[in-house]
Amino acid sequence: MKILVINGPNLNLLSKRDETTYSSLNIEQIIKLLKLEFPKIEFSSIQSNLEGELVTAIQSAEDKYDGIIINPGGYSHTSVAILDALEICKIPKIEVHLSHLANREDYRQNLLTAKNTNGYITGFKENSYLAAAYLLTKLIK
């Protein structure tokens, strides 16, 4: 089983963000945790601050992977391009967020991109990714 983990803008700077809101782990450590917890799954990852690179990763995923874990970061509230790419991609997809979005600013309540995923997980920091990996194994089988 192969899963692509896509991380959007500013997630490369987790170590500079409030760890009580996000995580004490950086993206590389979260990917290592996924590999440790799910050794039978082959994880690949991409992080980009550029919307077009995220769209391209989604567009090419269907031929290479069985599922996607995506944290679009701030693009989750604004990107029609990512929304459309997720709609076109027919493999299982789960959106994750490290922070508990329901406890945050009003504009973060609009999860535009999540509409074209199988579901979303928010508020469990790095465990959001672990939960998504577990659920993807169920959806893929």
Side-chain angles (χ1 to χ4, degrees):
M1 185 177 303
K2 294 174 146 184
I3 294 176
L4 177 61
V5 182
I6 300 173
N7 288 292
N10 297 313
L11 290 164
N12 57 316
L13 298 177
L14 277 180
S15 61
K16 295 184 177 188
R17 300 189 85 175
D18 177 14
E19 70 179 51
T20 62
T21 301
Y22 295 98
S23 178
S24 61
L25 302 181
N26 63 39
I27 286 301
E28 293 81 15
Q29 291 169 320
I30 292 172
I31 300 301
K32 285 181 186 175
L33 182 61
L34 280 166
K35 291 177 179 180
L36 186 67
E37 291 280 332
F38 299 93
K40 294 182 180 178
I41 298 175
E42 182 181 326
F43 290 97
S44 297
S45 66
I46 178 176
Q47 185 283 322
S48 181
N49 296 318
L50 303 175
E51 183 179 31
E53 289 183 5
L54 301 174
V55 169
T56 298
I58 296 163
Q59 288 177 345
S60 62
E62 194 170 345
D63 296 331
K64 302 174 192 169
Y65 299 99
D66 301 302
I68 295 174
I69 297 170
I70 182 168
N71 184 341
Y75 286 137
S76 61
H77 317 296
T78 62
S79 180
V80 173
I82 292 173
L83 171 73
D84 290 346
L86 289 167
E87 178 184 19
I88 294 164
C89 182
K90 299 304 180 201
I91 58 176
K93 304 163 292 282
I94 297 179
E95 184 167 318
V96 298
H97 295 277
L98 296 161
S99 68
H100 192 340
L101 295 178
N103 291 336
R104 305 217 32 221
E105 302 89 349
D106 287 343
Y107 67 86
R108 294 189 193 272
Q109 307 312 309
N110 179 28
L111 294 177
L112 186 63
T113 55
K115 293 174 185 175
N116 284 334
T117 64
N118 295 81
Y120 66 93
I121 301 165
T122 176
F124 296 97
K125 299 180 180 171
E126 63 274 1
N127 291 317
S128 294
Y129 288 79
L130 297 177
Y134 171 79
L135 291 169
L136 275 177
T137 64
K138 301 298 182 186
L139 292 172
I140 292 167
K141 289 181 182 177

